[in-house]
Amino acid sequence: MSQPESHPLSKEALAEFRADVANWLEANCPLSQRQPIVREEQIWGGRRRVFPSSDAQQWFEACRDRGFTAPEWPVEYGGAGLDPEEAKVLKQEMTRLGCRPPLYCQGLWMLGPALLVYGNEAQKREHLTAICRGEIRWAQGYSEPSAGSDLANLKTKAEDCGDHFLVNGTKIWTTKADEADWIFCLVRTSDVTPKQAGISFLLIDMATEGVSTSPIPLISGESEFCQTFFDNVKVPKTNLVGELNGGWAVAKELLKHERKMMSAFEGMLEKPAMELLELADYAVGSDAQGRLNDAELRSDMSRHLMREAALGQLGERIYWQGKAKQVDPRLPLLMKHLGTSEAQAKDELILRALGDEGLSMEDPNVSPGLRKMVKQWAFNKSLTIAGGTSEVQLNIIAKRALGMPSGEGKS
Amino acid sequence: MILNEEQALLRETVAQFFNEKAPISELRSLAGASDEQGYDLQLWSEMVELGFPGITVPEVYDGLEFGWMGLGTIAQEAGRCLVASPLLSSVVLSQNLLLNCGSDAQITTYLPSLMSGEATATVALDEGRFFNPDAVAMSDASGTLNGQKDRVLDAGQSAYIFCIAEQASGERGVALVESSAEGVSIESRRTMDLHSSASIRLDGVPAADIVWLTGYDVASGIQKTIDQATIALSAEMMGSAREVLERTVAYLGEREQFDVKLGTFQALQHRCAHMYCELELAESAVSAALTALDHAAPNIGLLASSAKALANDCFTLISSEAVQLHGGMGVTEEMDIGLFLKRSRVCNQLLGSSSYHRDRYARLIGF
Ligand SMILES: Cc1cc2nc3c(=O)[nH]c(=O)nc-3n(C[C@H](O)[C@H](O)[C@H](O)COP(=O)(O)OP(=O)(O)OC[C@H]3O[C@@H](n4cnc5c(N)ncnc54)[C@H](O)[C@@H]3O)c2cc1C
């Protein structure tokens, strides 16, 4: 494929940018911050943020000050104003040097991109800046006990009280709500049909009176998410994003970014104690020719590695289509389902290979690194559920990519 | 695939050409021909006129040097119509084997007649039940060339056969023999996809009738050719898979049962959506492999094996599902769907099944 020549930047300018960025990273990223990220040392920002080390703080602050926590956001909102091509170069250079992501935040991945489209100027200034400066940590308040895949069925009510809304109801599966400062919520502001037409998008400070959270334990033994309660919570009207009753459009824009992020989540996670190949060799051993002793595992691993590589190639294809202005809008719809199922396929290979050592998350005789992999296997079962289940993704693909007829078939 | 302007134009031209000149009814007409005939000569001569044989050939050898992405485009469009032609046997396999393994003099002797359509050639690679290019028994140890080759594509219509064989020195080589040479017997058969391939016996083909290719590094030239052909065949398979999926989705959008279009049933929607995911995943691997050929990337073996394994699995899945989702119509001879099913299974065995390629991939990576 002769790569499309329509770069807004010349090859020279891009090469110069690459050199500049590489120098900057060399100078500003302490060696300790070029070690593979471990979960406990991820920097999530927020009012209660703590830095695991002074190096981590230095690296975060250097990125923050250069706008590199949100490279593609406009400079006036705290980003670096890079175009996609430059952002890709930055990412490549960071990967090459092994630099850790400077900031983790749902605000960065989900709310920010949606605010850039639907937020008003004041909202963008206030919230985008606080997000990329790592000052505010966000949670996502979409799902409710009776509104999962059928998100539009949500019931949390925001009543118009003149200068503010009065919010009552509950959200569930709210990731890290107990550590977040603000929450973006879908709330019901009208009972019209269709249900989608009565939803608004509200930003709520979780320090407001009447907001409370209660953690829910997961099968991986952790407690990633909470139920969040709203009991007569007063929210200023200025916190409405987009039109009143126009929240569904904002919600969908945001979901697009959430799914994109989830399909590529692996790169941001803690690297497993051992790579798949190393692990398989350690656990099942290899013959004199270097072939794994378990032939079926070996074949399944090949299949997985090929598919994982093809996923990367699909991502590249989408990227270059964008650059060449030959966008096939169907392709991004596939990424979440394909990416998350392949991540789970890998976890299953790991568990198979581990044999006896894969049977406990707590056994002190098993190395902590391996136990973490077992926990990851359990935790990653949520990948095909969170952010729109795989079944919902397949519904979307059938309708929007294949144009299959809607209307429920009866039999 | 991402195509530049010229490649996009090529795609359009080629698609129109195959739709007009080589619809699936043309393939069906081969069923009545003799087993030696694997394709229609008239169609082939028109493909030659369009310049297909020179598509990847360097300009120094009077080719178009249009690149592998261009060839992949042609292969895909051919796959959509299940076109039977010597594109794989002569253009991809033979011409590239000559280019990769021949001396300059050998290339200039044989290539022009292949490119002009005056003659076609094929490559005799497989021996036995499965593709396994590492196991070659054919040899000229006794001074004459002896052995048996299987699944030699279009051999019945080829003037030349490039045989992969052991040379007296013990090294792997490429022996060019004319199909009319003494000691060559060709037994053609029509495979279920209506293409023609043959088992070939060489019984004491005299040294005088053999030209050993003597280019630089013949052994890696053979491997390179196999990878190129594997990728080109994968591209063709993707075209077929895409076509048969589109036909299936269209059928479900028309056919009514229980007073609704079948396509409204979610069980069927999910199966189609799953197939489409698999299709674009495999397409990405094939596209990356074609790009890598154009950039002479070093890890081509891995990319070729990935492309073929994914294309095999994807086309197998989609063609099976296509039959199922067409109901009774799907198993009738009248529908073309069955031809896609049969072609898929033949393609699986050509240039390596998924098991072969998964094993090779693991070997190349070292596990
Ligand atoms: C780890 C994790 C983190 C999460 N974090 C957040 C968060 O921060 N904020 C937030 O708002 N939400 C969050 N979620 C919630 C998530 O978005 C929902 O779990 C998801 O939308 C599915 O809803 P549900 O759990 O109610 O499942 P249900 O909708 O009850 O689905 C149950 C099953 O039925 C299937 N199903 C449902 N509808 C259909 C249909 N139309 N066709 C076919 N099959 C169907 C589903 O695919 C699933 O298999 C999180 C979830 C997880 C697992």
Side-chain angles (χ1 to χ4, degrees):
Chain A
M1 145 177 76
S2 59
Q3 275 155 1
E5 318 279 70
S6 65
H7 303 160
L9 285 167
S10 68
K11 269 209 166 73
E12 293 73 33
L14 214 55
E16 201 174 303
F17 177 75
R18 186 184 294 277
D20 175 45
V21 156
N23 281 336
W24 186 87
L25 291 172
E26 281 289 1
N28 287 281
C29 188
L31 285 179
S32 68
Q33 300 304 300
R34 300 187 204 177
Q35 302 307 312
I37 186 73
V38 288
R39 196 158 166 186
E40 298 72 33
E41 295 183 17
Q42 293 171 349
I43 297 166
W44 280 86
R47 289 172 185 148
R48 285 164 285 176
R49 86 178 164 212
V50 274
F51 291 100
S53 65
S54 60
D55 274 3
Q57 180 163 7
Q58 183 194 330
W59 170 228
F60 164 75
E61 286 173 357
C63 285
R64 176 195 67 192
D65 295 343
R66 176 107 195 230
F68 281 175
T69 53
E72 290 185 63
W73 293 6
V75 178
E76 62 264 38
Y77 307 133
L82 303 190
D83 84 351
E85 197 120 17
E86 290 173 320
K88 197 174 176 196
V89 167
L90 172 62
K91 209 167 169 191
Q92 286 167 344
E93 290 302 307
M94 286 181 62
T95 309
R96 188 175 62 79
L97 293 172
C99 307
R100 292 177 168 182
L103 180 64
Y104 290 71
C105 182
Q106 305 209 55
L108 208 54
W109 307 319
M110 303 185 208
L111 177 64
L115 271 189
L116 279 169
V117 180
Y118 287 99
N120 62 33
E121 187 55 32
Q123 288 166 343
K124 286 196 254 188
R125 272 195 196 283
E126 177 182 355
H127 297 296
L128 293 179
T129 314
I131 290 168
C132 43
R133 297 184 59 81
E135 289 161 0
I136 294 295
R137 179 167 179 175
W138 285 87
Q140 177 186 32
Y142 274 29
S143 307
E144 297 181 9
S146 61
S149 300
D150 185 12
L151 184 57
N153 198 39
L154 60 93
K155 304 214 158 34
T156 295
K157 209 173 166 73
E159 205 183 323
D160 190 334
C161 296
D163 66 335
H164 67 273
F165 293 106
L166 194 64
V167 178
N168 277 291
T170 181
K171 294 287 174 183
I172 197 164
W173 321 131
T174 334
T175 299
K176 297 288 186 195
D178 48 348
E179 294 175 32
D181 307 309
W182 280 65
I183 182 167
F184 50 89
C185 282
L186 294 176
V187 291
R188 181 144 306 283
T189 39
S190 157
D191 291 322
V192 293
T193 43
K195 291 182 282 190
Q196 285 82 350
I199 292 171
S200 299
F201 194 101
L202 267 192
L203 308 177
I204 303 177
D205 186 339
M206 296 184 77
T208 319
E209 208 185 312
V211 182
S212 60
T213 60
S214 148
I216 307 171
L218 285 180
I219 52 173
S220 55
E222 290 135 62
S223 175
E224 269 283 315
F225 49 32
C226 297
Q227 183 157 5
T228 308
F229 302 92
F230 300 89
D231 185 14
N232 287 320
V233 177
K234 279 189 180 175
V235 180
K237 281 238 168 119
T238 47
N239 288 4
L240 175 73
V241 178
E243 304 282 320
L244 185 68
N245 296 321
W248 194 246
V250 189
K252 282 200 301 189
E253 173 70 23
L254 190 139
L255 275 174
K256 228 168 53 188
H257 298 285
E258 178 174 8
R259 286 168 189 165
K260 195 165 130 194
M261 184 271 294
M262 282 194 65
S263 61
F265 207 53
E266 264 213 295
M268 291 194 292
L269 295 177
E270 173 168 345
K271 268 219 179 321
M274 277 190 243
E275 290 294 342
L276 183 58
L277 297 180
E278 192 192 343
L279 178 90
D281 181 48
Y282 154 82
V284 306
S286 302
D287 67 12
Q289 279 92 49
R291 287 180 308 215
L292 286 177
N293 288 327
D294 180 337
E296 195 170 310
L297 180 69
R298 177 172 178 263
S299 172
D300 289 349
M301 273 173 43
S302 271
R303 185 205 319 267
H304 160 68
L305 292 174
M306 289 171 172
R307 293 176 64 88
E308 195 180 56
L311 266 166
Q313 289 151 352
L314 176 55
E316 283 281 302
R317 222 173 120 206
I318 294 172
Y319 174 82
W320 285 108
Q321 285 186 347
K323 299 256 41 149
K325 307 220 174 354
Q326 292 179 20
V327 173
D328 180 345
R330 297 172 301 182
L331 299 188
L333 302 176
L334 316 180
M335 290 303 279
K336 201 232 161 197
H337 169 53
L338 278 171
T340 54
S341 356
E342 208 48 46
Q344 290 180 348
K346 179 178 185 174
D347 293 325
E348 291 297 341
L349 290 171
I350 290 172
L351 206 68
R352 258 167 79 186
L354 277 175
D356 188 56
E357 286 187 293
L359 302 183
S360 163
M361 298 178 200
E362 311 301 337
D363 184 352
N365 295 316
V366 175
S367 80
L370 296 186
R371 272 187 276 144
K372 257 189 183 168
M373 293 170 97
V374 180
K375 284 191 173 182
Q376 194 69 34
W377 160 81
F379 179 75
N380 280 355
K381 289 298 170 212
S382 63
L383 293 181
T384 47
I385 299 168
T389 67
S390 291
E391 290 74 18
V392 167
Q393 301 306 308
L394 290 171
N395 288 343
I396 294 174
I397 294 163
K399 303 237 158 60
R400 302 234 298 272
L402 297 177
M404 297 186 79
S406 35
E408 202 45 45
K410 293 184 209 61
S411 58
Chain B
M1 285 195 237
I2 296 166
L3 305 177
N4 62 30
E5 223 167 282
E6 288 167 319
Q7 290 162 341
L9 197 67
L10 174 74
R11 156 153 301 183
E12 224 170 275
T13 314
V14 171
Q16 195 185 351
F17 170 76
F18 284 137
N19 277 322
E20 272 172 27
K21 301 290 170 88
I24 294 181
S25 53
E26 285 296 307
L27 175 75
R28 284 180 181 280
S29 69
L30 288 169
S34 74
D35 285 353
E36 285 74 39
Q37 198 193 332
Y39 53 88
D40 178 59
L41 276 174
Q42 176 61 31
L43 173 67
W44 171 235
S45 72
E46 290 179 43
M47 288 170 72
V48 171
E49 253 167 63
L50 285 174
F52 291 179
I55 198 94
T56 63
V57 175
E59 279 172 8
V60 287
Y61 294 120
D62 296 325
L64 297 171
E65 210 172 306
F66 203 78
W68 287 92
M69 198 48 109
L71 184 109
T73 303
I74 298 175
Q76 278 202 332
E77 292 305 322
R80 274 189 175 266
C81 294
L82 296 177
V83 174
S85 82
L87 199 62
L88 186 62
S89 57
S90 192
V91 176
V92 178
L93 275 165
S94 303
Q95 290 186 181
N96 284 293
L97 196 59
L98 183 56
L99 283 162
N100 294 332
C101 302
S103 67
D104 195 54
Q106 289 170 330
I107 295 171
T108 45
T109 306
Y110 296 102
L111 193 58
S113 68
L114 297 181
M115 280 170 60
S116 70
E118 197 181 302
T120 54
T122 188
V123 172
L125 180 64
D126 294 11
E127 296 181 8
R129 191 178 286 272
F130 299 108
F131 173 80
N132 181 5
D134 295 331
V136 170
M138 178 172 280
S139 83
D140 79 339
S142 54
T144 59
L145 196 58
N146 295 284
Q148 160 135 358
K149 291 286 187 183
D150 299 295
R151 285 180 304 289
V152 185
L153 302 173
D154 304 317
Q157 282 167 291
S158 298
Y160 303 107
I161 304 172
F162 291 90
C163 301
I164 311 299
E166 297 264 292
Q167 294 175 268
S169 63
E171 276 170 64
R172 179 83 34 104
V174 181
L176 173 55
V177 297
E178 292 189 19
S179 52
S180 56
E182 184 191 332
V184 177
S185 54
I186 300 177
E187 199 178 315
S188 293
R189 64 167 176 166
R190 193 167 299 289
T191 41
M192 62 186 175
D193 58 345
L194 301 178
H195 290 233
S196 166
S197 71
S199 289
I200 293 181
R201 278 213 63 77
L202 301 192
D203 267 317
V205 177
D209 288 345
I210 301 167
V211 176
W212 288 98
L213 296 189
T214 56
Y216 170 77
D217 200 355
V218 170
S220 48
I222 295 172
Q223 188 53 59
K224 183 175 171 189
T225 310
I226 293 174
D227 284 332
Q228 289 167 330
T230 302
I231 294 166
L233 175 60
S234 303
E236 183 195 316
M237 293 167 73
M238 292 318 300
S240 305
R242 189 174 292 275
E243 175 71 20
V244 75
L245 176 58
E246 284 176 9
R247 287 179 183 220
T248 304
V249 170
Y251 183 77
L252 296 176
E254 286 161 13
R255 165 100 176 143
E256 289 189 10
Q257 286 290 278
F258 304 99
D259 302 324
V260 292
K261 305 272 191 236
L262 286 177
T264 59
F265 288 109
Q266 192 188 47
L268 306 186
Q269 291 186 348
H270 280 195
R271 282 160 81 169
C272 291
H274 171 61
M275 287 189 259
Y276 182 63
C277 287
E278 294 298 307
L279 181 81
E280 294 295 3
L281 191 70
E283 169 89 38
S284 302
V286 173
S287 185
L290 288 166
T291 305
L293 282 180
D294 278 332
H295 290 84
N299 56 343
I300 205 69
L302 282 176
L303 291 166
S305 280
S306 280
K308 184 63 166 43
L310 287 170
N312 282 344
D313 294 351
C314 164
F315 191 16
T316 300
L317 167 79
I318 294 180
S319 57
S320 298
E321 287 282 78
V323 171
Q324 176 68 18
L325 299 186
H326 276 79
M329 288 302 287
V331 288
T332 60
E333 181 59 24
E334 183 198 333
M335 285 292 266
D336 290 336
I337 300 302
L339 282 171
F340 285 90
L341 179 78
K342 292 170 181 169
R343 178 66 182 154
S344 128
R345 301 315 192 266
V346 172
C347 288
N348 282 347
Q349 298 300 332
L350 296 178
L351 297 166
S353 65
S354 295
S355 327
Y356 171 82
H357 284 290
R358 284 198 282 269
D359 173 64
R360 177 177 182 232
Y361 188 90
R363 258 188 290 132
L364 288 175
I365 288 191
F367 70 92

